[in-house]
Amino acid sequence: MKILRNLTMAIALFAFSSGIDAQTMNDIPAYRQKGYAGSVSFTDQYIVWLGLDTSHGYMFNEHHYLGAGVGFFLAPIDEEPPMLVHGFLEYKSYWFKRRSTPTAGVRAGFGRPVTNLGAWDFKAPFLGEPYIGWDWGTRNGNGLSLTVGASVFIANRNTQVMPKLSFGISF
């Protein structure tokens, strides 16, 4: 767990070293301009399942993003940690025409276990993930995001809901 704490601190220091420009808080940052947009996020589910997600797609305007992505998460609790990979489509809405704004979005896709998941052993679960959060634009045109949501897995007539916290960098 000490490694996880150090990794989280390093990501936070890197992200905040780019700085947030308080004098131009109403300017739309480059990552929210019309065209290509992408993000990479560090995720935590149930404080045990750690993962990385990346999403790439298109910003239609400063408010609407549509993309697709992949990710994985694992629980480092065993010699051979349980791991799941997933692919998804994503829609994200930025509420205000400002550098700092609340956001809401949803992801939908399918997962695939890489190793034995124990009691949660699914073959190919459907994954739905609604979330809300906040995005901050940085001086260099990138963005930082913090979101909270729930990963909902549906497989074999079973449903598993896991709360999820994500910290990401958008470009």
Side-chain angles (χ1 to χ4, degrees):
M1 287 315 223
K2 187 174 183 178
I3 293 172
L4 174 62
R5 186 182 69 218
N6 291 341
L7 177 63
T8 304
M9 290 297 291
I11 290 171
L13 287 173
F14 170 75
F16 288 112
S17 69
S18 61
I20 296 176
D21 190 356
Q23 294 179 344
T24 58
M25 289 305 282
N26 291 329
D27 296 340
I28 302 298
Y31 78 99
R32 287 184 47 206
Q33 301 295 324
K34 185 176 180 178
Y36 168 80
S39 66
V40 176
S41 300
F42 172 74
T43 66
D44 182 21
Q45 299 174 5
Y46 272 143
I47 307 173
V48 175
W49 291 87
L50 307 176
L52 286 173
D53 289 334
T54 183
S55 179
H56 303 270
Y58 190 78
M59 286 293 301
F60 290 94
N61 56 35
E62 64 273 359
H63 297 289
H64 302 284
Y65 167 80
L66 184 62
V70 295
F72 77 94
F73 44 95
L74 58 88
I77 56 175
D78 210 353
E79 288 180 17
E80 186 177 329
M83 180 187 290
L84 185 92
V85 297
H86 61 106
F88 54 85
L89 295 176
E90 178 177 22
Y91 169 76
K92 186 173 185 178
S93 173
Y94 298 85
W95 295 7
F96 302 126
K97 200 173 189 174
R98 288 188 259 166
R99 182 177 293 268
S100 175
T101 181
T103 60
V106 64
R107 291 178 171 178
F110 289 92
R112 178 110 180 122
V114 176
T115 61
N116 182 10
L117 299 178
W120 298 1
D121 201 12
F122 303 124
K123 295 299 179 210
F126 170 77
L127 170 68
E129 183 183 311
Y131 61 88
I132 59 171
W134 201 278
D135 268 46
W136 298 270
T138 62
R139 255 186 274 160
N140 65 4
N142 293 333
L144 303 176
S145 65
L146 183 63
T147 64
V148 63
S151 294
V152 180
F153 297 94
I154 302 171
N156 306 332
R157 297 182 190 206
N158 294 322
T159 302
Q160 180 70 38
V161 179
M162 294 179 14
K164 183 175 183 178
L165 179 67
S166 296
F167 175 75
I169 299 173
S170 301
F171 46 89

